[in-house]
Amino acid sequence: MATSTGYPTDLQPQKDEFHPAPPDNQGPSKPGQCEVSPQRATGCPPGLENLTQIDRLLVQQNVELAEVIMGWEGNNKYKVKNRTGQQVFFVAEENNFCYRQLCGPLRSFGLHVQDNTGQEVMTLTRPLRCGSCFFPCCLQELEIQSPPGSPIGYVVQNWHPFLPKFTVQDENREAVLKIVGPFCSCRCCADVKFDVLSVDESTKVGRIAKQWSGLLREALTEADHFEISFPMDLDVKIKAALFGACFLIDFMFFEQNLLDVLLSG
């Protein structure tokens, strides 16, 4: 059964069942390994204090050996770092095995975002929607919640015959930014850039870039690296929405490795 958002009931996160552990180490094992949280600003959701002092995030997807060796689609996991390489978040997908294999990149998901203490500070939810531009009434959408259960923003796909386009909305569903990607999202030896623009698309204010990570990694894995840049003084909730947009873009355009794309094309 599906909920009103299109998210399958049996896949919805259960707080008493799902406790993803951050990778490598819980908390800093070396000086400077993890970002120290600044004091929370007025209006900033708890746990997002780091975003108030950040103008760039690096998102690194973990390599899953089962995907590389056996081709099984696994739950995605990501490390999120600031520009100096300090980890600020850990992101883990929650989905069941059969659903991942049957729906692949089109699957609905819940992504749990934890800070360095293991506290869940954001939840990103994507309902099951159509992946074709021929069905403009059922395009992709992502909801950003912080704290979990309290929506603070949305990313909504806009219909366009050949360009990836999205609208970033605030908690009141008011458009605040646009995201426009390239005609072709498959590029060899180059980054793929999605520009963050003002609502009228006249001014560039940031960027979400899928970074080229080397031929071997691109050909054999789906473990992508992204860089998200935005103004330092941008509202922290809108920063969180752009952060969420990165994962929607990853699932929509980069959840196949380069070898699979070349073979299917």
Side-chain angles (χ1 to χ4, degrees):
M1 179 181 297
T3 63
S4 58
T5 61
Y7 193 75
T9 303
D10 61 336
L11 299 181
Q12 292 189 76
Q14 302 295 323
K15 291 184 178 180
D16 58 344
E17 295 179 0
F18 185 74
H19 300 278
D24 299 337
N25 285 308
Q26 184 78 265
S29 60
K30 298 178 182 179
Q33 179 182 345
C34 295
E35 179 76 0
V36 177
S37 297
Q39 186 175 359
R40 180 157 62 98
T42 303
C44 175
L48 302 189
E49 295 84 1
N50 283 323
L51 291 183
T52 62
Q53 300 181 4
I54 286 177
D55 63 355
R56 184 173 302 173
L57 288 170
L58 304 175
V59 179
Q60 300 175 347
Q61 185 176 352
N62 292 3
V63 175
E64 300 292 338
L65 293 180
E67 290 186 5
V68 177
I69 298 172
M70 307 182 70
W72 290 346
E73 189 72 35
N75 278 324
N76 288 356
K77 298 180 179 66
Y78 307 81
K79 297 176 184 177
V80 183
K81 302 178 181 181
N82 62 17
R83 63 162 65 237
T84 63
Q86 295 173 313
Q87 183 171 317
V88 291
F89 297 121
F90 172 66
V91 184
E93 177 190 2
E94 181 185 22
N95 250 323
N96 66 46
F97 177 82
C98 292
Y99 196 69
R100 293 194 306 270
Q101 312 317 311
L102 291 174
C103 297
L106 285 176
R107 64 188 182 269
S108 59
F109 59 67
L111 293 179
H112 303 267
V113 183
Q114 293 183 330
D115 62 16
N116 288 320
T117 69
Q119 178 69 33
E120 184 172 346
V121 297
M122 266 191 286
T123 302
L124 313 177
T125 61
R126 175 202 190 187
L128 183 62
R129 295 289 179 87
C130 182
S132 172
C133 65
F134 296 108
F135 297 93
C137 62
C138 195
L139 297 177
Q140 298 293 313
E141 182 174 322
L142 184 81
E143 180 180 88
I144 299 92
Q145 302 173 2
S146 182
S150 300
I152 61 170
Y154 303 85
V155 181
V156 180
Q157 183 186 10
N158 304 132
W159 185 87
H160 195 279
F162 54 85
L163 287 179
K165 298 189 74 172
F166 303 87
T167 297
V168 178
Q169 302 173 338
D170 62 16
E171 65 267 37
N172 298 316
R173 289 282 190 172
E174 296 291 333
V176 291
L177 293 173
K178 295 280 188 177
I179 301 174
V180 180
F183 170 72
C184 179
S185 59
C186 182
R187 295 184 180 179
C188 187
C189 302
D191 293 351
V192 182
K193 301 175 183 177
F194 290 74
D195 291 329
V196 179
L197 308 171
S198 57
V199 174
D200 60 5
E201 301 184 19
S202 63
T203 306
K204 181 178 177 181
V205 299
R207 187 177 67 188
I208 299 173
K210 189 266 181 185
Q211 298 178 322
W212 174 258
S213 55
L215 184 60
L216 186 62
R217 189 185 186 99
E218 295 281 344
L220 299 179
T221 77
E222 301 169 8
D224 301 312
H225 290 183
F226 290 85
E227 181 183 75
I228 311 167
S229 59
F230 36 65
M232 182 77 75
D233 59 353
L234 187 66
D235 185 279
V236 67
K237 295 180 181 179
I238 306 306
K239 289 182 179 182
L242 290 177
F243 174 71
C246 174
F247 298 95
L248 181 60
I249 289 170
D250 182 31
F251 273 82
M252 288 181 64
F253 302 105
F254 304 109
E255 271 296 284
Q256 282 186 306
N257 60 55
L258 183 60
L259 184 58
D260 289 340
V261 172
L262 294 175
L263 291 177
S264 61

